[in-house]
Amino acid sequence: MKRVWIETYGCQMNVVDSETVMAILCGTGGFERASDVRDADVVLLNTCSIRDNAEERVWHRLDELGALKKRRQGTVLGILGCMAERLREQILTERPAVDLVVGPDGYRSLPELLAQGGGVNTELSKEETYAEISPVRLDERGVSAFVSIMRGCNNFCSYCVVPYTRGRERSRDPQTILREVGELFAAGYREVTLLGQNVNSYTFEQVDFPELLRRVAAVSPLLRVRFATSHPKDLTDRLLEVMAATPNICRAIHLPAQSGSTRMLELMNRKYTREWYLDRIAAIRRVMPDCAISTDVIAGFCGETAEDHAATLSLMREVGYEFAYMFKYSERPDTVAARTMADDVAEAVKTARLAEIIGLQNELSLASNRRDVGREFEILVEGVSKRSSERVFGRTSQNKVVVVGRFGADGAEHRAGDYLRVRVTGCSSATLQGEVI
Ligand code: SAH
Ligand code: SF4
Ligand code: F3S
């Protein structure tokens, strides 16, 4: 048995991909999971290229692992994921310690390549979805799992590497999705998050995304269903109606705006305007007034003026996001933006704008959390609080974390996977405090 250690960088899709890689390797009978990187025969880094700092972390980690490899002759070092796809040549020439370079669509070839001690496969596929492979779950809690429903992206937002590193968009057979979700529920899981770069464009034969969502939610009323990410251009009223009609589809939509300026959105090739985006927000509010809305924002994209930046801040206020992921623009080689636009916002200006965006979001998150104080929610318990062994934490349907006492009035312990009715008693901008009712 060879022991495999895998480290995951980047997005949730990479989490599932790492679990799929473990399933492929363990399925051969020749590999098992290592409990420590120092005992591993095979060390894999599943990497991300989305921003320069994501790649920097991996280069740095590679230096550390190169040193480890010197001490443990025979260890196979492999790079998987988006950096493998994007930087194959550079990795092979600059890091001789690397034995294996495999892109996101090549994981089925891993057993064969590892049998030879390494190799390269960065072929992208139009069909591969790893449909029938049930990922080996690496998170031990056993409550919440990611389920990949599609791969790739056809949107070509001008700043983004994903269409180049992940290839064309393709959807996974719904039968295999439903089977996997059924198995997860039977194994005690109580929440699944359906993943794709743009889940709204899921389509497989007669099944579109609202229909898939309905079928997944029908696996059990005790199973919570989430999904990410939705592209604003494809957020249909029918999706909102299916959500509203199905209580176990969570009241949370991640709808990345990227910018509040229509001029910027056009340069970004996002295919919607500020007005269109706000119309979608209004539709969500109309159909599900209790739905949380979160976003991604990029500060300092090519040509962004002070007015464009102000438009982003005003959009954020107008929507009143519950939560946001916020980034400085990082030019990615070979994207349309890198080829045709100047990365002309000074670093200091990007930093200042990002700080303003983060400051505003903290205000908005705190205001949203304050509105929840005194309200009742159902939470799904995920585990014991990191701060106190006397508390457990769980999430509301809106995806907010609530911390409550670990033991009930009768002394019984609240465990991961339990549903609890709670009243919110206090908050910070990041979490809610509550009591079980
Ligand atoms: N498919 C999803 C998000 C994928 S990447 C979507 O379209 O919303 C996650 C986020 O990273 C993006 O939403 C964007 O905000 C950010 N991002 C992507 N490329 C970037 C870049 N070059 N510089 C800074 N942020 C970037
Ligand atoms: Fe990137 Fe745009 Fe595709 Fe999202 S939709 S992965 S931002 S190209
Ligand atoms: Fe990163 Fe690739 Fe995901 S670039 S964000 S790991 S799709």
Side-chain angles (χ1 to χ4, degrees):
M1 279 281 195
K2 296 238 169 180
R3 284 158 299 185
V4 182
W5 176 262
I6 186 162
E7 293 177 12
T8 308
Y9 298 80
C11 62
Q12 299 167 335
M13 268 157 269
N14 259 13
V15 174
V16 183
D17 281 5
S18 291
E19 296 176 332
T20 302
V21 165
M22 288 311 284
I24 290 169
L25 291 177
C26 297
T28 64
F31 298 90
E32 62 185 0
R33 216 174 141 185
S35 51
D36 190 302
V37 65
R38 284 164 299 190
D39 303 331
D41 304 298
V42 179
V43 177
L44 302 172
L45 301 186
N46 190 7
T47 62
C48 175
S49 281
I50 200 81
R51 283 168 292 275
D52 188 54
N53 56 9
E55 292 188 345
E56 279 306 319
R57 281 180 63 201
V58 171
W59 289 122
H60 179 71
R61 184 67 179 139
L62 264 181
D63 291 337
E64 289 173 3
L65 291 172
L68 180 107
K69 200 178 144 168
K70 281 211 185 90
R71 276 178 268 125
R72 260 184 74 91
Q73 293 292 326
T75 309
V76 174
L77 181 55
I79 302 294
L80 313 178
C82 292
M83 270 177 87
E85 196 63 45
R86 195 178 95 70
L87 296 171
R88 180 185 67 184
E89 303 300 335
Q90 195 185 338
I91 293 167
L92 291 170
T93 47
E94 292 182 13
R95 294 297 196 280
V98 173
D99 309 290
L100 178 86
V101 180
V102 178
D105 289 343
Y107 299 147
R108 286 183 205 262
S109 66
L110 280 171
E112 203 185 312
L113 293 173
L114 284 171
Q116 306 161 11
V120 177
N121 179 3
T122 52
E123 199 81 31
L124 285 172
S125 157
K126 290 199 173 71
E127 290 96 34
E128 181 63 273
T129 59
Y130 302 109
E132 81 298 348
I133 298 173
S134 293
V136 170
R137 301 300 170 178
L138 298 174
D139 165 64
E140 313 277 325
R141 273 201 287 262
V143 175
S144 187
F146 298 126
V147 175
S148 168
I149 63 162
M150 61 196 299
R151 299 179 71 82
C153 182
N154 288 348
N155 288 319
F156 289 92
C157 301
S158 60
Y159 50 81
C160 183
V161 287
V162 172
Y164 308 94
T165 61
R166 295 263 164 177
R168 294 293 60 75
E169 186 178 291
R170 66 216 96 124
S171 297
R172 177 180 171 190
D173 183 339
Q175 303 293 349
T176 67
I177 297 171
L178 288 165
R179 203 202 55 225
E180 185 179 327
V181 171
E183 287 168 3
L184 287 166
F185 186 76
Y189 283 81
R190 290 297 172 265
E191 182 175 88
V192 292
T193 304
L194 307 182
L195 292 182
Q197 293 295 357
N198 177 11
V199 288
N200 316 124
S201 61
Y202 176 92
T203 172
F204 194 100
E205 289 163 7
Q206 287 355 294
V207 183
D208 64 1
F209 185 61
E211 176 59 19
L212 178 73
L213 204 50
R214 204 187 57 72
R215 292 188 192 180
V216 170
V219 166
S220 168
L222 289 176
L223 180 74
R224 281 184 170 183
V225 185
R226 302 185 185 278
F227 56 90
T229 297
S230 300
H231 194 297
K233 77 179 165 62
D234 302 316
L235 188 87
T236 60
D237 289 343
R238 202 161 78 74
L239 171 63
L240 299 178
E241 281 151 21
V242 167
M243 288 180 75
T246 319
N248 59 320
I249 302 176
C250 288
R251 295 315 186 233
I253 299 183
H254 187 60
L255 197 68
Q258 313 298 359
S259 169
S261 154
T262 296
R263 197 180 74 84
M264 282 291 111
L265 291 171
E266 202 168 314
L267 288 173
M268 290 174 164
N269 192 31
R270 287 291 287 179
K271 306 180 183 88
Y272 54 86
T273 61
R274 176 190 176 100
E275 289 66 37
W276 167 272
Y277 184 89
L278 285 171
D279 171 77
R280 293 294 78 206
I281 298 295
I284 298 170
R285 299 263 188 252
R286 192 162 56 236
V287 182
M288 288 176 290
D290 62 343
C291 189
I293 303 175
S294 52
T295 191
D296 295 350
V297 180
I298 299 176
F301 184 61
C302 307
E304 187 185 73
T305 63
E307 294 83 79
D308 295 319
H309 170 60
T312 294
L313 295 173
S314 84
L315 181 86
M316 291 173 69
R317 275 190 204 286
E318 202 164 330
V319 178
Y321 291 111
E322 263 63 43
F323 181 80
Y325 294 103
M326 298 154 285
F327 313 101
K328 269 192 254 187
Y329 172 56
S330 164
E331 185 178 80
R332 310 314 292 131
D334 303 324
T335 55
V336 170
R339 281 186 273 129
T340 67
M341 297 170 214
D343 180 11
D344 55 1
V345 178
E347 186 60 26
V349 175
K350 284 184 188 172
T351 304
R353 287 181 186 168
L354 180 64
E356 229 182 317
I357 288 168
I358 292 172
L360 172 57
Q361 185 53 48
N362 285 343
E363 260 176 56
L364 296 174
S365 297
L366 182 61
S368 165
N369 285 353
R370 284 202 176 127
R371 286 194 294 274
D372 288 341
V373 174
R375 289 186 185 157
E376 291 177 17
F377 295 92
E378 183 175 65
I379 64 166
L380 173 61
V381 176
E382 288 182 23
V384 176
S385 160
K386 280 181 213 93
R387 294 239 181 107
S388 156
S389 61
E390 295 300 299
R391 318 276 287 164
V392 292
F393 72 98
R395 280 170 201 273
T396 65
S397 175
Q398 287 77 8
N399 214 13
K400 288 191 185 178
V401 172
V402 187
V403 182
V404 298
R406 180 169 174 182
F407 301 96
D410 57 358
E413 184 178 353
H414 304 310
R415 290 171 192 276
D418 289 352
Y419 283 106
L420 299 175
R421 274 216 75 78
V422 303
R423 182 179 301 108
V424 175
T425 53
C427 72
S428 68
S429 67
T431 46
L432 303 173
Q433 301 292 326
E435 59 190 17
V436 180
I437 49 177

